Amino acid sequence: MNIIETTDLSHKQGSKYLLQDINWQVREQEHWVIFGSNGCGKTTLLSTVCGYRAFSQGSIKLFGEKLTKENAVALRSQVGFVSASYLDRCFHNESGFDIVLSAKFGGFGRRSDITDEDVIRARKLLQAFGIAAKGDYPYCMLSQGQKQRVLLARSLIVAPKLLILDEPLNGLDIYARDYFLNTLQQIVAETNVTVIYVTHHAEEIMPFFTKAMLLQNGKVFAQGDINEVFSEETLSRYFKHETKAGWQGDRFYIGIGEELRMDSSIWKGECL
């Protein structure tokens, strides 16, 4: 079954396309990396697919059902969504605890029909991510790393069918980064969740990822099997520079030509 299916998906603001003609299918238990530079459309694509953002053209199916304004909240309650770049605009004075609970119903606020089991699970998740002591603090008072941990906990308050992680390691220290990556590998090994992982850091790409998409200026540059998309030939065309790529142990690396450096006369002041 297709978890996600987009057809000619486009999102336009004024005269500028943030997304254009995205045709994409994600099957159940596929694990995707969405890779690209800042501003290429990664967050826009996934917040649109989850029903958080409107789109201008095309269609989206989520879990086989056409996404509409009427069913968006119900459908995204089955999605664990982590995106500080999007959700930082949605939360301000809410406590971390209430933010975690809000995901159970696909919304942004705590509802009255939360159960005791939900409360216990939320507290345990905050504790597991090392932020239990800050759980009742307003979101706006948390550091960026603490906010990210709250959003990670929020994504797991229900057992999601689809886990979308938009640069989930931003703001985390080295311990928290490794803790989350190890937890993610455990989730993949022990559940049937489908993972979509957004990054522009190659070292976050792990062996369980089988599919990849390169985005560039809101368009799909390449998509498909990860070894083909992340081949040196494809990446060299993407970056427009000779690129080396491959696995180092259980981490991927991408290296771009040494000629990519600033003219030293600029920082030495010789051009003044």
Side-chain angles (χ1 to χ4, degrees):
M1 183 183 80
N2 286 337
I3 295 290
I4 296 172
E5 183 176 348
T6 72
T7 304
D8 299 328
L9 179 66
S10 298
H11 181 77
K12 191 175 184 181
Q13 286 190 348
S15 61
K16 179 179 175 58
Y17 277 99
L18 302 182
L19 297 173
Q20 190 169 8
D21 298 328
I22 306 293
N23 292 288
W24 181 35
Q25 293 183 358
V26 176
R27 295 193 62 79
E28 194 172 10
Q29 295 184 54
E30 285 182 344
H31 305 306
W32 282 74
V33 174
I34 311 296
F35 194 84
S37 58
N38 287 331
C40 71
K42 302 186 299 294
T43 298
T44 301
L45 172 60
L46 295 180
S47 57
T48 302
V49 164
C50 287
Y52 288 107
R53 190 191 300 261
F55 52 95
S56 307
Q57 299 168 228
S59 65
I60 300 170
K61 286 186 178 179
L62 198 56
F63 310 114
E65 187 173 345
K66 188 173 181 179
L67 181 67
T68 65
K69 290 181 180 179
E70 290 71 28
N71 65 12
V73 173
L75 287 176
R76 69 183 182 225
S77 68
Q78 304 174 65
V79 180
F81 182 57
V82 176
S83 177
S85 58
Y86 182 84
L87 293 173
D88 276 1
R89 294 174 291 175
C90 303
F91 298 122
H92 186 68
N93 291 319
E94 299 89 347
S95 71
F97 176 65
D98 284 347
I99 288 170
V100 172
L101 288 171
S102 72
K104 182 175 181 184
F105 301 102
F108 299 112
R110 181 176 176 180
R111 291 180 22 172
S112 60
D113 47 349
I114 293 294
T115 67
D116 290 343
E117 289 78 10
D118 296 329
V119 170
I120 292 170
R121 184 175 175 84
R123 293 294 185 192
K124 285 185 174 180
L125 282 166
L126 289 169
Q127 184 176 20
F129 282 107
I131 198 172
K134 300 283 187 177
D136 294 317
Y137 281 47
Y139 189 74
C140 60
M141 291 181 61
L142 301 178
S143 70
Q144 189 56 46
Q146 291 167 342
K147 289 178 180 178
Q148 195 73 342
R149 294 183 191 206
V150 167
L151 297 181
L152 291 167
R154 180 181 185 270
S155 72
L156 299 175
I157 188 63
V158 295
K161 294 181 180 178
L162 174 63
L163 186 57
I164 293 181
L165 304 168
D166 182 8
E167 300 186 26
L169 303 189
N170 281 0
L172 299 186
D173 58 35
I174 187 169
Y175 173 85
R177 287 168 63 91
D178 280 353
Y179 179 87
F180 177 71
L181 288 176
N182 291 336
T183 300
L184 179 58
Q185 291 184 81
Q186 184 180 5
I187 290 170
V188 168
E190 298 180 6
T191 72
N192 294 324
V193 71
T194 299
V195 175
I196 299 174
Y197 192 103
V198 176
T199 185
H200 51 254
H201 298 292
E203 65 274 13
E204 296 177 19
I205 299 170
M206 292 174 287
F208 65 77
F209 290 110
T210 57
K211 300 286 185 177
M213 176 190 289
L214 293 176
L215 274 178
Q216 190 172 71
N217 299 323
K219 298 180 180 180
V220 175
F221 183 88
Q223 64 171 308
D225 290 341
I226 193 167
N227 291 330
E228 295 179 7
V229 174
F230 284 162
S231 69
E232 293 182 349
E233 178 184 356
T234 303
L235 290 172
S236 294
R237 288 192 291 109
Y238 180 79
F239 289 114
K240 297 180 181 178
H241 287 277
E242 183 178 355
T243 302
K244 300 296 183 183
W247 291 97
Q248 292 182 332
D250 62 351
R251 291 290 188 272
F252 199 75
Y253 79 94
I254 295 174
I256 306 176
E258 294 184 0
E259 72 276 9
L260 292 177
R261 64 180 73 179
M262 185 183 292
D263 182 348
S264 63
S265 66
I266 297 174
W267 51 266
K268 288 180 179 178
E270 296 172 359
C271 62
L272 300 179

